[in-house]
Amino acid sequence: MASLFAPDKLWFGIALLTLTGACIFLLTFGPGPGHNNLHFIPRLRRRRTCTSETPPRSIPPAEKKPPVPTSPSPSPSTKSKSPIHAATVVPPQRRHILAALPRTAPSYKEVHEDKVKARLLLLRLLLPMTADYSAVSTELYTCTGFSTTDLSALGDFPDYATLSGVPLPRAYAEFDIERALARPYRPFRWAYHQTMSFTKLEPDWWLELENTYKLRIAQRKALYAKHGRDVLDYLPGSELACKELMEMVVQFLCARYPHYFSLRDNRILENKILATERDVRTMHPLEVILENIPEDFAIMLRDDKTGNYFFRAGVICSTLGWNLQSKIGLQLHEIHDPVPDYKEKMQFSMDRFFTKMPADKPIQRGSWGIEVGQPLYVPPGHPHEKLRLSQDPTRKLEDCNLRVDWQTLRRLPLSGAVVFNFKALFTPLTEFRDEPGVPALLAKILHEGKKNLMEYKGTWHLEHVVLPKFEEWAREQEEKGLVPKNWEVATLDESPWFKGWQEKWRRQQGF
């Protein structure tokens, strides 16, 4: 992966300076009581590229158009305390991309050469957050600059790779769903504090399938049949974002796994793994996702009046300590209420990040926890929560698994929605024994991690089982030379993996 600080990626460097000390948008999906992986806080970090080829009003009247801030730029020492003029800030525009498409929307033209005047005009003509784009009677615009006429002309399944600036994945010809394992994510960091390590999204790995695919799809369909809107729901105004997301997901599947997925006549999705064919135009887009992708998606839409972002639609089957109905309709900071230190240290940076995130710079990161078994959906009151209240003396190491919620965040190019998606991955803790540095790093985090953060993560109920083993394996690794003697425990150079992970991963899955 190219340096994040190359000239064409300058925004990453700026983001690093602006967002230092911020913590991520983790929904309470992450491990721990009430842990929520919608809490997704940005901090960018350089990391080497993986070289593996495998794997949801009315429009403000003109006379009340928002003023353009005229105060001088804040100095570095005061920048973090400056107010956010979210109502006057729109994300980077994408409408100019229409010129690169073979079929250009008939309304395509420059709104105005003066960018300031163009932005003010756009702010007056924004599509309301609660409005269905296909039902408005006048031409309005999404926050990324596309008109309702543009959207109609683009039709179904436009070229999202060009529209977003994120290329489609390479075909994964050797992929075998029966043997496939997720990459061995180990997103452990020391020093452990509320700044999370973001990296650039690898386009080939936005959605990742593994050998639990059939089981997970069956679990998700059963959860939806039982819990309904607690796991899948959408509010008015999310129509465009839901359709756009589904189409992007389908395009990804067909490009990445062409021997398993295909789309016929822009409407019939064939899934050879499940032996199903579905007409995607007869289903809600989120139901298409539920039946084909073992991942969760939360759609955040920009409010046309305030510029703030609200959770407006999602399919979420992997929560720990919450469910979708407890969060949908909330603003970003309201979703983050359970997160330690969020209001004091993170809210400003998080709001700023969402206002400016471009479509062509998606990001990724992981959260983790230690669990008994493989709990996928644990809403409030679920029996699994009781396991966290005591240290069971009969508990065995074989009962314990690492849960990683591998997460991505990206802006959809047409609707301008910000979409957060993640998948829950489970790994037996016994795997750590031969992974250089992992046992020592985890032992240090569990021993010395900040108290309120570790209580939030909720590892105490298993520490009596796992800590002695981590310490034993750490000593063993030093004796075997897997790590240097008396090494200073810190985030691994290979994070979010470990030294030699590719060889182990390929050997275990057989390709």
Side-chain angles (χ1 to χ4, degrees):
M1 183 178 299
S3 170
L4 298 182
F5 302 101
D8 62 333
K9 297 178 178 62
L10 182 58
W11 81 274
F12 271 99
I14 297 172
L16 178 60
L17 296 174
T18 305
L19 304 176
T20 298
C23 180
I24 113 165
F25 175 38
L26 299 164
L27 288 168
T28 336
F29 315 143
H35 190 106
N36 183 340
N37 281 352
L38 260 174
H39 308 322
F40 207 39
I41 314 298
R43 177 174 177 245
L44 298 171
R45 178 175 57 82
R46 293 185 65 181
R47 178 174 57 76
R48 63 181 62 126
T49 303
C50 167
T51 58
S52 173
E53 296 183 2
T54 59
R57 294 178 178 91
S58 58
I59 304 170
E63 64 272 19
K64 292 185 179 181
K65 61 186 180 182
V68 179
T70 57
S71 57
S73 300
S75 65
S77 62
T78 61
K79 188 174 182 179
S80 62
K81 297 180 182 180
S82 302
I84 301 173
H85 301 278
T88 66
V89 178
V90 290
Q93 301 294 281
R94 301 295 298 174
R95 192 169 188 256
H96 63 281
I97 301 298
L98 290 174
L101 298 179
R103 181 175 62 179
T104 299
S107 71
Y108 177 70
K109 59 183 181 295
E110 293 298 329
V111 177
H112 203 289
E113 292 182 359
D114 187 314
K115 291 184 178 181
V116 174
K117 292 181 179 179
R119 177 171 59 83
L120 291 175
L121 178 60
L122 177 67
L123 290 170
R124 288 168 44 197
L125 297 176
L126 277 175
L127 181 70
M129 181 180 70
T130 58
D132 181 348
Y133 77 104
S134 65
V136 296
S137 58
T138 58
E139 184 166 75
L140 300 175
Y141 291 79
T142 69
C143 64
T144 48
F146 293 92
S147 72
T148 48
T149 304
D150 296 334
L151 301 173
S152 177
L154 285 168
D156 299 325
F157 292 95
D159 181 359
Y160 285 109
T162 300
L163 288 167
S164 68
V166 179
L168 283 172
R170 295 169 293 179
Y172 194 174
E174 60 269 51
F175 178 82
D176 181 349
I177 192 63
E178 300 297 334
R179 296 183 294 155
L181 300 175
R183 294 185 295 177
Y185 299 105
R186 306 292 185 260
F188 311 127
R189 306 180 330 279
W190 187 263
Y192 183 65
H193 47 77
Q194 280 289 52
T195 56
M196 306 302 281
S197 185
F198 271 125
T199 58
K200 282 183 61 178
L201 173 69
E202 301 162 276
D204 286 353
W205 298 97
W206 178 39
L207 309 174
E208 184 176 0
L209 307 186
E210 53 169 325
N211 59 14
T212 63
Y213 178 82
K214 293 179 182 178
L215 172 63
R216 290 287 180 254
I217 295 297
Q219 285 179 311
R220 293 164 65 83
K221 292 173 69 174
L223 286 168
Y224 184 39
K226 181 178 180 179
H227 298 284
R229 293 175 61 194
D230 281 344
V231 300
L232 189 156
D233 200 9
Y234 38 89
L235 301 182
S238 65
E239 293 84 3
L240 174 59
C242 290
K243 174 180 182 290
E244 183 180 13
L245 174 61
M246 180 272 289
E247 293 178 344
M248 292 175 68
V249 163
V250 168
Q251 286 185 350
F252 180 96
L253 289 178
C254 294
R256 184 62 166 162
Y257 310 105
H259 50 307
Y260 288 125
F261 298 91
S262 62
L263 183 66
R264 188 169 68 250
D265 300 326
N266 267 2
R267 64 185 304 163
I268 306 300
L269 174 62
E270 182 181 12
N271 182 331
K272 294 181 180 179
I273 303 173
L274 302 176
T276 59
E277 289 190 0
R278 295 286 187 269
D279 186 340
V280 299
R281 297 185 189 178
T282 66
M283 304 171 63
H284 190 277
L286 295 184
E287 293 179 351
V288 176
I289 291 175
L290 175 81
E291 292 192 0
N292 292 279
I293 300 294
E295 299 203 17
D296 289 352
F297 296 82
I299 296 175
M300 306 289 295
L301 293 184
R302 183 187 184 277
D303 177 32
D304 54 294
K305 294 182 178 179
T306 66
N308 297 320
Y309 282 77
F310 291 80
F311 181 22
R312 300 292 295 178
V315 49
I316 297 172
C317 300
S318 308
T319 60
L320 292 178
W322 70 287
N323 60 30
L324 185 150
Q325 282 304 310
S326 68
K327 301 293 182 180
I328 195 165
L330 298 185
Q331 190 179 331
L332 198 56
H333 73 88
E334 297 171 319
I335 294 169
H336 288 72
D337 279 347
V339 178
D341 304 329
Y342 178 80
K343 183 177 181 180
E344 298 79 7
K345 298 181 179 180
M346 312 168 201
Q347 182 173 339
F348 176 87
S349 294
M350 195 65 241
D351 289 342
R352 169 173 286 186
F353 182 75
F354 264 60
T355 62
K356 298 183 178 182
M357 183 183 187
D360 60 350
K361 297 294 188 294
I363 54 180
Q364 62 184 13
R365 55 88 59 188
S367 69
W368 63 273
I370 299 173
E371 303 291 343
V372 178
Q374 297 189 12
L376 186 67
Y377 179 66
V378 185
H382 191 280
H384 187 85
E385 290 186 327
K386 295 181 180 179
L387 298 179
R388 298 178 179 274
L389 302 180
S390 63
Q391 292 185 333
D392 184 348
T394 67
R395 187 70 63 204
K396 298 179 181 179
L397 183 68
E398 292 73 20
D399 302 328
C400 306
N401 289 283
L402 171 73
R403 170 172 167 151
V404 168
D405 291 314
W406 190 248
Q407 309 157 0
T408 73
L409 190 70
R410 67 185 303 171
R411 187 180 296 279
L412 305 186
L414 298 180
S415 63
V418 175
V419 173
F420 170 79
N421 74 284
F422 73 99
K423 53 182 165 285
L425 302 169
F426 297 92
T427 303
L429 295 187
T430 52
E431 288 290 323
F432 297 166
R433 186 169 186 171
D434 65 352
E435 298 178 355
V438 172
L441 180 53
L442 266 173
K444 190 170 187 67
I445 293 170
L446 295 180
H447 269 305
E448 303 178 29
K450 189 177 178 181
K451 183 179 178 181
N452 65 336
L453 299 182
M454 298 312 297
E455 289 176 348
Y456 179 66
K457 185 170 286 290
T459 59
W460 172 81
H461 66 301
L462 292 176
E463 289 178 7
H464 67 297
V465 178
V466 303
L467 257 176
K469 277 298 179 183
F470 293 161
E471 292 166 344
E472 175 188 333
W473 295 341
R475 293 190 296 269
E476 183 178 278
Q477 288 190 355
E478 287 197 14
E479 293 168 359
K480 291 184 175 181
L482 294 180
V483 296
K485 285 282 186 180
N486 301 316
W487 69 292
E488 184 177 350
V489 179
T491 302
L492 303 179
D493 291 341
E494 299 78 12
S495 179
W497 297 286
F498 53 88
K499 185 177 181 180
W501 72 271
Q502 290 187 352
E503 292 80 4
K504 178 178 181 178
W505 172 60
R506 287 172 174 155
R507 181 179 70 251
Q508 290 181 327
Q509 70 176 0
F511 61 89

